[in-house]
Amino acid sequence: KAFELTKSATLLNNAQAMHQLGVFYRKGIGTLKNEHEAFSWIYKAAEMGSSDAMVELVEMYQKGIGVASDLDM
């Protein structure tokens, strides 16, 4: 249920919800694990100014989670 409520909150352009939805996809909580979808949502949250998403996005780039690894960041 948390997954569905969070997904609904993303429709309101809520950066925190976008980040949390990305975490759900990354860990497979309430849905199938999907690292590409996780990256997409976390990236959107970072673009909207979520510092938590920005930190997580750096890790995803470094480790190549949902995106090609980029250690030059």
Side-chain angles (χ1 to χ4, degrees):
K1 183 152 180 155
F3 175 84
E4 292 302 325
L5 291 173
T6 302
K7 192 171 185 179
S8 294
T10 66
L11 299 175
L12 302 173
N13 290 321
N14 181 311
Q16 183 179 354
M18 290 177 183
H19 176 241
Q20 189 60 51
L21 188 63
V23 171
F24 287 159
Y25 275 115
R26 185 174 177 187
K27 297 181 178 183
I29 299 171
T31 188
L32 295 176
K33 186 175 179 177
N34 184 330
E35 292 177 344
H36 295 288
E37 192 71 19
F39 178 86
S40 176
W41 283 107
I42 292 169
Y43 186 90
K44 289 176 188 178
E47 281 189 318
M48 293 187 69
S50 168
S51 58
D52 290 336
M54 290 176 197
V55 170
E56 191 153 2
L57 198 59
V58 169
E59 178 188 2
M60 293 177 83
Y61 271 117
Q62 288 174 336
K63 295 181 179 180
I65 299 170
V67 67
S69 179
D70 185 351
L71 299 177
D72 293 330
M73 285 191 71

